[in-house]
């Protein structure tokens, strides 16, 4: 059993922290900007909550974070009362935020100066994956730190892998989001086409799902997309944040992402329709909205 802190109890962090307690049996202290949520978590899982990230991190072997973006991450790590000010020597900070590779490298360097480890460890699998403890975790950092942290991360994961040096986890998550953007747009067009052709969408999916067109998105979202229900996971606002990181990094590295850039603009259209909190499968809504105009 390790002494563990978890910072950020959003739709992902809340169940992830829970698995550290229930499956891992760790001594868990949580911090959340809204104290009421931290109090609710401790009432449900036990453990304790702290008033600041610094207080949460004090004396811990491992500190996890899952917050919104680069600036949120800096705030809870190196900001006033941030977790880095409470880390003991030898502690390992595991960041599950989807953020930039630049901030990962920045915080890795800051942690090393304190005699601590830092792993960038963004996750894939969405809210359902977090709630079921079957996330995919893509890590970047030093191999020695990774091997120490891996058994703890596995409490909420089905796959945990080291992708390379610091920042490699975040870069791998960008690859993941680039793939998803293209897949969801393709599936949206396919379902839209089938409906316009007056085909039975269920029969069509049954026919193609066993072949080369199969994907996680098809298996898990075709029915809700057909029925225009978009309340099942990762929000458009967050996807646009992630794609923005992808496009910025592509500009820095010289990579060409024409489809990703186009789909990002399609998501901007979904936002203009009021779909900020719809899930990412809502790309089909803009096709149907254009049809009605």
């Amino acid at each position: 059993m390790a002494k563990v802190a978890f910072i950020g109890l959003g739709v992902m962090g809340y169940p992830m922290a829970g698995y550290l307690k229930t499956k891992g049996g760790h001594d868990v202290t949580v911090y959340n900007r809204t104290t009421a949520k931290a109090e609710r978590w401790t009432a449900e899982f036990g453990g304790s909550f702290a008033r600041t990230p610094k207080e949460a991190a004090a004396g811990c072997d491992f500190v996890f974070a899952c917050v919104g973006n680069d600036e949120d991450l800096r705030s809870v790590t190196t900001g006033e009362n941030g977790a880095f000010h409470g880390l003991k020597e030898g502690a390992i900070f595991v960041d599950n935020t989807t953020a930039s590779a630049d901030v990962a490298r920045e915080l890795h360097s800051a942690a090393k100066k304190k005699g601590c480890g830092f792993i960038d460890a963004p996750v894939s699998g969405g809210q359902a994956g977090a709630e079921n403890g079957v996330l995919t975790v893509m890590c970047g950092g030093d191999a020695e730190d990774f091997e120490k942290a891996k058994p703890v991360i596995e409490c909420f994961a089905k796959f945990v892998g080291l992708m390379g040096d610091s920042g490699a986890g975040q870069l791998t998550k960008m690859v993941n989001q680039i793939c998803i953007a293209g897949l969801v747009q393709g599936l949206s067009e396919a379902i839209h086409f089938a409906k316009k052709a007056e085909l039975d969408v269920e029969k069509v999916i049954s026919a193609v799902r066993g072949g080369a067109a199969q994907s996680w998105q098809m298996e898990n979202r075709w029915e809700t997309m057909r029925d225009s229900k978009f309340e099942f996971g990762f929000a458009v606002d967050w996807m646009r944040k992630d794609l923005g990181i992808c496009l910025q990094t592509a500009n820095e590295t010289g990579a060409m992402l024409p489809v990703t850039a186009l789909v990002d603009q399609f998501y901007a259209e979904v936002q203009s329709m009021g779909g900020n909190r719809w899930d990412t499968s809502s790309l089909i809504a803009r096709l149907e909205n254009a049809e009605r105009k």
Side-chain angles (χ1 to χ4, degrees), residues 28-109:
V28 181
T29 300
V30 297
Y31 166 80
N32 193 69
R33 189 165 47 188
T34 305
T35 303
K37 186 172 286 187
E39 292 174 334
R40 178 159 61 88
W41 187 93
T42 56
E44 182 175 349
F45 294 105
S48 59
F49 71 91
R51 298 288 180 178
T52 67
K54 177 181 177 180
E55 180 186 331
C60 285
D61 305 301
F62 300 93
V63 181
F64 288 77
C66 190
V67 294
N69 55 38
D70 285 20
E71 290 311 308
D72 293 333
L73 184 56
R74 288 189 178 99
S75 176
V76 301
T77 53
T78 58
E80 184 178 1
N81 289 316
F84 276 27
H85 302 303
L87 289 177
K88 69 177 184 180
E89 186 174 352
I92 298 175
F93 193 100
V94 181
D95 176 37
N96 298 124
T97 308
T98 296
S100 70
D102 287 341
V103 76
R105 296 179 187 120
E106 171 190 322
L107 295 178
H108 176 269
S109 178

Side-chain angles (χ1 to χ4, degrees), residues 190-208:
I191 293 174
H192 175 68
F193 177 87
K195 291 167 77 172
K196 293 295 288 182
E198 299 183 350
L199 293 170
D200 183 317
V201 177
E202 183 172 2
K203 290 182 179 179
V204 170
I205 296 297
S206 296
V208 304

Side-chain angles (χ1 to χ4, degrees), residues 167-185:
Q170 295 295 353
L171 292 168
T172 303
K173 179 62 184 286
M174 294 176 209
V175 172
N176 185 79
Q177 301 305 74
I178 291 165
C179 290
I180 289 173
L183 285 168
V184 176
Q185 178 61 22

Side-chain angles (χ1 to χ4, degrees), residues 20 24 26 62 146-156 160:
L20 291 171
H26 299 297
F62 300 93
F146 171 76
E147 291 302 329
K148 291 177 182 177
K150 183 179 178 183
V152 186
I153 300 171
E154 286 176 332
C155 292
F156 52 73
V160 183

